[in-house]
Amino acid sequence: MIDPWDVEEVDYERLTEEFGIRPIDEEVRELLPRSFPLLDRGIVFGHRDYDSFLKDYNDGELVSVLSGMMPSGRMHLGHKTVVDQLVFYQQEMDVKVYVPIADLEAHHARDMDLDRAHRIAVEEYVLNYAALGLDLDPDRCEVYLQSERKTVQRMALLLAGRLTWNTVKNTYGFTGETNMGHAFAPIVQAADILHPQEIEGPHRVLVPVGVDQDPHLRLTRDIAEKEDLIKPASTYHRFMTGLTGGKMSSSKPNTAIFLTDDPETAKEKVWNAKTGGGATLEEHREHGGNPDECVVYELMVYHLADRIGGDEKLREIRKKCREGDIICGECKRMVGEALAEMLEELERRREEVRDELPDLLSQHPDAPEVPEDW
Ligand code: TRP
Ligand code: SF4
């Protein structure tokens, strides 16, 4: 069982073997109209029906992309992976993007006050989405609250009839103590995913998410079949390792780089991060390090490759690391600099879009407004 509300370590191999998530192979990648670094670098590693989505796109059929956000804490680099994908589909492939804000889920599953969820959604998430390059023009993107969008709510209430309590209970491990709001969250999410077909007619919707969300997709695909709708496609990306080696988590600031961290703080976090280097310098020089066990290397692959010299540079660092020809201090300095640069740029972009945001959001009928003290 995968529990979307309590993710432990993920065994990606097993996922593809046991749950029917298909690996992203050369055949799939060839369908892409242009290169997609997140896929090429193996960060997006698996999918369901992604090939069908791409074929429909290549045939000029209507397709859209949808991925929700849970406004429950600060946005960190792990969240950025999703946004980078949304931006790719919107900017490079001109596909419309839907962004549900899962305020109801945050409320029922995370005990979050709704007003606070709306504030976090705007200040922390939507602002950063825009700063990362998502165009909020309502023709190209729809941002909405689960608690506001009628179509989603009506669909959720209707689709609920397609699921038995046993299915939901077994899929998520719910018990008699689970509150009904939480138990209903997967149905609201299914409605999120299926509602673009209600608005625009039947078409393939792609949902890029972390693997923890796959149970929701399996249920949604079953429901779609029963409703004679087109099954959503999905892609799955790897989670970033936390800086200290475990999970990257908003509630543990030392494990994550937040998009609003100031550059110096971020550098310090990188300096203290877990690497795959040898126990001592001599050992490292002699036996080399292991980039696959190294969070600093992971930061390069996920978010900084283009700033430090692209795939060629990544390969070079891998090789040098293995042979002990580069030491962790050098990597950390380089990653710290690149990261600081990225965060500074992001801060500048946030300030640029901040003024436009109230007007942009007002064009999205079901989106939260900016807080009064904006
Ligand atoms: N459950 C998702 C999360 O925890 C948020 C979400 C809500 C979502 N609706 C969605 C994700 C639809 C993908 C598609 O982050
Ligand atoms: Fe990681 Fe670089 Fe150290 Fe290798 S040398 S373990 S890549 S920090």
Side-chain angles (χ1 to χ4, degrees), residues 1-262:
M1 199 189 82
I2 307 170
D3 181 350
W5 294 284
D6 188 14
V7 191
E8 304 284 328
E9 293 251 315
V10 183
D11 181 343
Y12 296 103
E13 299 275 298
R14 235 194 88 199
L15 274 172
T16 41
E17 278 161 24
E18 277 179 37
F19 287 94
I21 293 175
R22 305 219 320 269
I24 293 201
D25 52 22
E26 203 42 49
E27 225 169 285
V28 178
R29 269 188 293 169
E30 269 171 11
L31 294 168
L32 274 161
R34 47 172 305 158
S35 79
F36 190 179
L38 282 171
L39 244 81
D40 297 336
R41 295 184 185 133
I43 297 162
V44 177
F45 70 94
H47 75 100
R48 294 184 191 276
D49 278 338
Y50 188 44
D51 43 352
S52 311
F53 167 85
L54 291 170
K55 279 180 195 143
D56 288 353
Y57 171 85
N58 290 333
D59 288 345
E61 285 176 37
L62 172 71
V63 291
S64 47
V65 172
L66 178 146
S67 191
M69 62 169 91
M70 173 107 95
S72 59
R74 292 177 70 190
M75 225 181 133
H76 56 58
L77 284 182
H79 301 115
K80 178 174 172 287
T81 309
V82 187
V83 187
D84 289 343
Q85 292 172 72
L86 298 180
V87 170
F88 176 85
Y89 293 114
Q90 187 197 49
Q91 298 295 320
E92 310 293 335
M93 289 171 63
D94 202 21
V95 177
K96 180 161 180 179
V97 171
Y98 292 82
V99 185
I101 301 172
D103 61 337
L104 292 179
E105 184 182 355
H107 182 65
H108 291 305
R110 298 265 190 257
D111 214 13
M112 168 73 61
D113 177 73
L114 274 190
D115 286 335
R116 200 168 127 67
H118 298 169
R119 173 182 281 271
I120 294 175
V122 177
E123 282 183 354
E124 192 57 35
Y125 287 78
V126 179
L127 183 62
N128 273 311
Y129 276 45
L132 287 167
L134 191 73
D135 180 359
L136 294 182
D137 175 340
D139 290 332
R140 309 189 70 195
C141 169
E142 290 190 28
V143 178
Y144 70 89
L145 290 164
Q146 287 178 330
S147 65
E148 289 292 335
R149 184 157 281 205
K150 264 274 162 52
T151 326
V152 168
Q153 294 166 3
R154 198 169 34 80
M155 276 187 100
L157 290 170
L158 284 169
L159 298 178
R162 296 293 193 184
L163 285 174
T164 66
W165 171 237
N166 271 341
T167 303
V168 178
K169 189 175 69 145
N170 295 337
T171 307
Y172 300 100
F174 291 156
T175 70
E177 298 303 311
T178 306
N179 83 66
M180 288 306 296
H182 189 172
F184 204 65
I187 302 173
V188 179
Q189 182 154 341
D192 280 331
I193 295 170
L194 296 174
H195 95 286
Q197 301 196 57
E198 173 104 354
I199 300 179
E200 308 232 26
H203 66 281
R204 190 78 66 178
V205 178
L206 171 69
V207 187
V209 280
V211 264
D212 62 312
Q213 298 294 306
D214 187 51
H216 297 314
L217 277 135
R218 291 202 304 270
L219 284 194
T220 307
R221 287 163 61 85
D222 288 348
I223 295 173
E225 203 159 30
K226 293 176 184 156
E227 291 284 315
D228 284 325
L229 290 166
I230 295 180
K231 284 188 192 180
S234 47
T235 58
Y236 303 96
H237 50 265
R238 285 171 207 276
F239 292 113
M240 278 200 75
T241 314
L243 299 173
T244 49
K247 219 179 98 180
M248 183 172 282
S249 158
S250 297
S251 54
K252 296 190 199 108
N254 285 333
T255 66
I257 307 258
F258 296 107
L259 299 188
T260 46
D261 268 343
D262 73 83

Side-chain angles (χ1 to χ4, degrees), residues 275-277 284 289-291 294 296-297 300 317 321 326-328 331:
T275 70
H284 185 85
N290 183 358
C294 177
V296 176
Y297 181 74
M300 304 185 212
I317 291 169
C321 169
I326 186 171
I327 59 171
C328 299
C331 283

Side-chain angles (χ1 to χ4, degrees), residues 347-365:
E347 170 68 13
R348 265 200 306 282
R349 281 292 298 149
R350 276 195 300 267
E351 288 322 302
E352 280 167 25
V353 291
R354 182 178 280 278
D355 292 341
E356 307 162 21
L357 207 63
D359 176 50
L360 278 169
L361 273 182
S362 73
Q363 298 173 50
H364 296 246

Side-chain angles (χ1 to χ4, degrees), residues 264-283:
E264 287 313 311
T265 310
K267 276 190 198 171
E268 217 173 286
K269 286 183 183 177
V270 170
W271 201 254
N272 295 320
K274 183 177 164 282
T275 70
T280 63
L281 190 57
E282 293 79 66
E283 222 173 278

